[in-house]
Amino acid sequence: MYRIVLMLAMTAPVWAADAQFNGWWDIRVPDHPQKRASWMEITGAGTPALKGRFVGFPGGNMNDIENLTLKDGVLRFIFEMPARGKSSGLRYEYTAKLVDGRLVGTCNTGRTEMAWTGERAPKIDEHDDGSWRKGKPIHLFNGKDLAGWKGIMRGGQLGWSVKDGLLTASGSANNLESEGKYWNYVLHVEYRVRPKSNSGIGLRGRYEIQILEDYGAPPDTHSNGSLYSRIAPSVNAGKPAGEWQTFDIRLVGRDVTVVLNDKQVVKGLIEGLTAMATDPEEGKPGPITLQGDHGPVEFREIVLTPLVKK
């Protein structure tokens, strides 16, 4: 009995230290050419029930972390991508330590290594509770040129053009971000995609509303109108390729409502960053981002109406 009590007394400080890994983490990867940001949730640290979820590399899905360990103050997890066709497999090994309340880590593929840091996701105590009114609309696209927008990838070709009032991505374009940064708002977007095309709209540069040509397909967390990899639309309200479609997206704090072609398809709570994230500072205003590297897409209206307290 004495030995058991002694062992518990010796391990209690370790468990307490390990428990500091628990929570939501917003991750910055400073050297990534696309300014990619990631997200992680850790639960059960300091207990035998250690678990994690991760949004980041490889791919941009919400993934359960299967190979997760926490030993001697080092969090370690591994994602493996099997070889496909001519592509060789990849192995991503992540490690991190807590330094002054922040995660400081690396991602190593065996060929490259990138440093990353994680900050605790802030509590955002604002809700879409009827206490907000609309301000003056801001036309983010003027129909003439790319004024107010810039490419995200450092040194990349832009790949966007403006003609006849349409903002068009070639299909392999640099993603765009607005020069302005915004907090709570209603965003109206009119867009058109070609068959099999794919794009997205980033809210505050953090949360992607998926654009996808998937007319008639069953809805899932990657469908047109979804909060990408997090919240599936209730119905597939998309139109066939080549038809103009509309989003009316309302964002207050972490509360999001998505209306696609006049049908509400998403209403829920945003837990954290998604695949398109480039700005991990969740407690601050962020840009609107447009995805142009997954297929051709056209926009003709992008109007943001700030929401302010009544």
Side-chain angles (χ1 to χ4, degrees), residues 27 84 97 142 162 165 175 265:
I27 295 172
R84 292 182 180 179
K97 295 182 178 181
N142 64 15
V162 178
N175 293 344
V265 296

Side-chain angles (χ1 to χ4, degrees), residues 21 49 69 74 112 119 128 217 286:
F21 282 88
T69 61
V74 178
T112 62
E119 301 280 352
D128 198 0

